[in-house]
Amino acid sequence: MRNAILLPNGLVLTTDNSAAIGEKEKDVVHIADEVVAYFAARVTILEQWAAKAFPQTIIVHNFSGNESWSKYIKGIKQLFDEIAEECPIITGSSETNMETLQSAMALSMIGEKQLEKFHDFQWYAYGKPCVGEEVIKEIQAIADLKKIWEAMKSGMVHAVWPVGSTGIAGECNRLGIEGYLDGWNLNISAGPATTVLLGISPTREQEAKLHFGKHFQAIK
């Protein structure tokens, strides 16, 4: 597992948070609350997939005020609409006693671990590393969750490993593999998992290239 915590009875806990990003005047990055929640959910579900799990319950901690709650929920549901799966039960709480000057939220998922099967695969990188406002400007170049989920269900993808602030090089180091990609910057942050490492059988490489498109390359 990457950053997931294995709980009793085969449950898996994953989490992500966001601060100073949203609709408040003093936020560092100004963007719709729906988008903030979408990308927090994106990171958290990718951590579930990395742990071979799928979320059953979602917990939202909202520090941005009552008005942001429904927007955060909308952003989370957008992600599940994207992958054509029913959204799990969402619960949580909002800070309403004290008004904050900047937006802040956290999102956790509790999922159920699936039975693991051994597969021989090679690691591939998918999606352009982006962070901050670049995530929105380069939205067409980042890893597409729907394509990843479809490839997982079809058996094309055997392992998922989201890339965070340490970049592709940092994640390759955690996996114990050499990280070389022709023409890619391996050290920059991938922000909210805009790049995802995928474990795919080399026999399905050509099929994977057609499925994932331009920003997809084998890690050498």
Side-chain angles (χ1 to χ4, degrees), residues 7-165:
L7 302 174
N9 301 317
L11 299 178
V12 173
L13 173 66
T14 61
T15 189
D16 190 52
N17 57 62
S18 175
I21 303 174
E23 299 180 7
K24 289 183 178 288
E25 183 179 350
K26 293 186 180 295
D27 284 337
V28 176
V29 177
H30 291 93
I31 198 167
D33 287 338
E34 292 95 323
V35 178
V36 175
Y38 169 86
F39 279 101
R42 173 192 177 88
V43 171
T44 315
I45 197 171
L46 280 166
E47 295 283 9
Q48 286 280 324
W49 292 351
K52 310 289 187 184
F54 192 85
Q56 307 296 313
T57 304
I58 298 173
I59 305 101
V60 178
H61 301 278
N62 166 33
F63 301 94
S64 304
N66 265 337
E67 291 184 359
S68 295
W69 176 264
S70 61
K71 299 175 184 178
Y72 287 151
I73 302 306
K74 183 178 178 181
I76 295 167
K77 289 183 176 179
Q78 179 187 335
L79 179 139
F80 286 91
D81 288 342
E82 181 180 316
I83 64 172
E85 294 290 344
E86 184 177 353
C87 184
I89 296 171
I90 302 176
T91 186
S93 65
S94 297
E95 171 57 78
T96 57
N97 294 315
M98 303 295 289
E99 184 175 355
T100 59
L101 298 178
Q102 292 178 305
S103 301
M105 64 90 71
L107 188 153
S108 298
M109 294 183 180
I110 298 176
E112 189 172 5
K113 193 172 178 63
Q114 309 298 310
L115 292 176
E116 292 190 55
K117 297 179 181 179
F118 176 77
H119 296 278
D120 184 21
F121 60 78
Q122 178 178 340
W123 286 107
Y124 295 78
Y126 171 48
K128 180 180 178 180
C130 297
V131 68
E133 293 181 355
E134 188 182 13
V135 175
I136 302 303
K137 293 178 180 178
E138 299 280 355
I139 193 72
Q140 299 302 321
I142 71 175
D144 185 324
L145 288 191
K146 181 179 180 181
K147 288 186 176 182
I148 295 173
W149 183 237
E150 288 174 346
M152 291 171 64
K153 291 195 295 183
S154 73
M156 181 193 300
V157 168
H158 302 304
V160 173
W161 194 272
V163 177
S165 59

Side-chain angles (χ1 to χ4, degrees), residues 174-191:
R174 292 176 70 177
L175 289 169
I177 59 176
E178 293 288 336
Y180 175 76
L181 291 162
D182 186 26
W184 290 47
N185 188 330
L186 305 185
N187 297 304
I188 62 173
S189 170

